[in-house]
Amino acid sequence: MIGRLLGSPGTTGAQSNPGMAMAAAVVLAATVTLVVLAVERLRVPSVGAV
C-alpha cells in the first residue's frame, strides 16, 4: 500500500496523496514496534541464549 501510494510518478491532484502514504508508514512502524516488543516480552529466556 505504501509503495503504491508513493510509487506512482507523475500523479497530481486528487490521485497524489503523500499524507496518506505517511500515515500508512506510521501505522506500519507502530505495528512492527508492538510486535517486536511483544515477542521480546514473551520470549523464553533459555531459547536463543549464548
Side-chain angles (χ1 to χ4, degrees):
M1 180 170 157
I2 297 169
R4 188 185 67 212
L5 290 170
L6 291 177
S8 348
T11 57
T12 57
Q15 294 176 342
S16 176
N17 198 345
M20 195 168 164
M22 183 64 73
V26 168
V27 169
L28 176 63
T31 302
V32 168
T33 301
L34 288 174
V35 168
V36 167
L37 289 174
V39 167
E40 283 297 315
R41 187 94 164 129
L42 299 173
R43 184 173 58 97
V44 178
S46 63
V47 175
V50 226

